[in-house]
Amino acid sequence: MKVIILLGDGMSDVVYSELDNKSPLRAARTPNMDYMARHGQVGLAGTVPEGLPPGSDVANLSVFGYDPRTCYTGRSPLEAVSMGVALGPDDVAFRMNLVTLRPHGSALYMEDFSAGHISTEEGHELVETLQKEIGSAEFEFHPGVGYRHLMVWRGGKDGMTATPPHDITGKSVLAYLPSGDGAATLNNIMNHAQMVFHDHPLNKKRKEEGKLPANSIWLWGHGKTPKIAPYREKFGLSGAVISAVDLIKGIGVCAGLDVIDVEGATGYIDTNYLGKARAALAALEDHDFVYVHVEAPDEASHSGRMDHKIQAIEDFDRQVVGTVLEGIEKFGDVAILCTPDHPTPVRLMTHTAEQVPFIIYRGGEGPGNGASFYDEEQAKATGLVVEGHRLMEMLLR
């Protein structure tokens, strides 16, 4: 049997009056997901256990089949694994966003958590400057993708509280600075980064071009190396993961899966949807399992762009789901899980912990379990509710 997970990050949402009291999933044109819903099992999955943050780290661990309550240590250690950055048992990794802060009076506001979706090349230039100016044997700055980068505190502290920058767009950052043991060190590093970036030639160029400057870093998502059982050991499967996001790649590496890079995969609405789908089908030639992650709906929600979210859902359905449905016929026995990881309501511009609608489809046109199409309300109406980390077990049954 070939096993496929198609994950639209943050697709789930709430209903909006401007969408005729529909959610973006219902308002979008999704003939392929609707088809699978009519002929498969549809239900709700709780991917964020109580007491854990509703982030993509926790939620995707659940969808991969791991119980986050037993293995979650933080987001950034997974990203470090993906980037090939080795962590010792006492080292702490931090997600480091390049952000745009806007001064107003005596306060600083989070204008953009992605510095205008700065390019990978520009991000690398700034992070390399940061490493040169303030890096040391204790603090290392590693370039990642776009606005997403990494800081490692060797022998550091991990007892502080830190807020994701996409949760505070438009808000004064003062109330959301890291707090607790070790926080003063992090705040000092962020202040130093602002000085390094203030007169940086790249930021001057961005301003001249009418783009937002990356005038600060924001540190969050910290943790130490997790212990995750390999997929061959846990599920008896060989597999691969396809994503533009280091977090998802890092989970894949920890799970012993092959990471497949797709040219043009950006993590935003301009990503190479079709390339991801074709790479997934190619991976199934010599793997049992493939996990295809598309970040675009989540990024659109964080930006408050309803139009972009609906476009991302439609592109996901047409180019990813549709292409996979056409290409799997030759494999015979297949099982597909299509799901978001967590909701990301456009009106909130951040993640929530509510249950998400999922589809399990095993091919053919047999009767499903009552859903007429794919959205949150249809999933609720079936009455099927499962823990997120049990989805993989259901898929393999």
Side-chain angles (χ1 to χ4, degrees), residues 1-276:
M1 183 173 68
K2 299 295 185 180
V3 182
I4 310 164
I5 294 180
L6 303 177
L7 191 134
D9 200 303
M11 282 197 303
S12 188
D13 209 307
V14 297
V15 299
Y16 296 88
S17 57
E18 62 266 35
L19 298 179
D20 295 328
N21 292 318
K22 299 175 182 176
S23 71
L25 262 181
R26 181 67 182 120
R29 294 181 297 276
T30 57
N32 296 296
M33 288 188 285
D34 292 344
Y35 175 85
M36 290 198 301
R38 288 193 297 273
H39 302 291
Q41 288 180 291
V42 176
L44 291 175
T47 58
V48 181
E50 186 176 354
L52 290 180
S56 293
D57 42 12
V58 170
N60 277 278
L61 279 169
S62 288
V63 178
F64 268 99
Y66 299 100
D67 187 345
R69 291 168 295 195
T70 64
C71 66
Y72 176 68
T73 62
R75 176 190 191 105
S76 294
L78 297 167
E79 296 177 329
V81 168
S82 169
M83 296 165 65
V85 178
L87 298 178
D90 297 321
D91 298 334
V92 184
F94 294 80
R95 158 66 83 83
M96 183 177 74
N97 275 45
L98 297 177
V99 302
T100 303
L101 300 182
R102 174 174 52 84
H104 182 73
S106 60
L108 278 174
Y109 290 79
M110 182 64 67
E111 183 169 3
D112 194 302
F113 67 89
S114 67
H117 281 281
I118 191 167
S119 71
T120 295
E121 293 73 20
E122 291 172 310
H124 278 215
E125 183 176 340
L126 290 172
V127 174
E128 288 165 2
T129 299
L130 207 58
Q131 175 64 23
K132 180 180 178 181
E133 295 293 331
I134 64 176
S136 66
E138 187 176 10
F139 296 100
E140 299 173 3
F141 303 89
H142 298 272
V145 176
Y147 63 85
R148 311 173 185 94
H149 304 278
L150 181 77
M151 186 189 84
V152 175
W153 185 354
R154 300 291 180 186
K157 298 179 179 180
D158 68 345
M160 71 288 290
T161 298
T163 303
H166 50 254
D167 284 0
I168 56 173
T169 299
K171 298 179 181 179
S172 170
V173 302
L174 183 60
Y176 300 98
L177 292 171
S179 60
D181 189 27
T185 300
L186 299 188
N187 293 328
N188 185 50
I189 289 172
M190 289 196 286
N191 287 336
H192 274 85
Q194 290 173 28
M195 291 186 281
V196 171
F197 290 168
H198 180 69
D199 290 320
H200 196 284
L202 189 145
N203 275 328
K204 290 182 178 179
K205 180 182 178 184
R206 285 181 65 82
K207 289 179 182 177
E208 291 170 357
E209 295 173 347
K211 299 177 181 178
L212 292 174
N215 58 15
S216 185
I217 62 172
W218 191 267
L219 299 169
W220 63 287
H222 56 281
K224 296 182 178 180
T225 302
K227 292 180 173 62
I228 296 176
Y231 247 56
R232 282 194 181 277
E233 176 183 315
K234 186 173 179 63
F235 298 115
L237 299 175
S238 67
V241 60
I242 298 169
S243 176
V245 178
D246 280 322
L247 166 65
I248 309 303
K249 294 178 181 179
I251 296 175
V253 172
C254 288
L257 305 175
D258 293 331
V259 174
I260 297 175
D261 291 318
V262 174
E263 185 176 355
T266 65
Y268 200 53
I269 59 169
D270 61 351
T271 197
N272 185 0
Y273 299 91
L274 190 58
K276 287 186 174 185

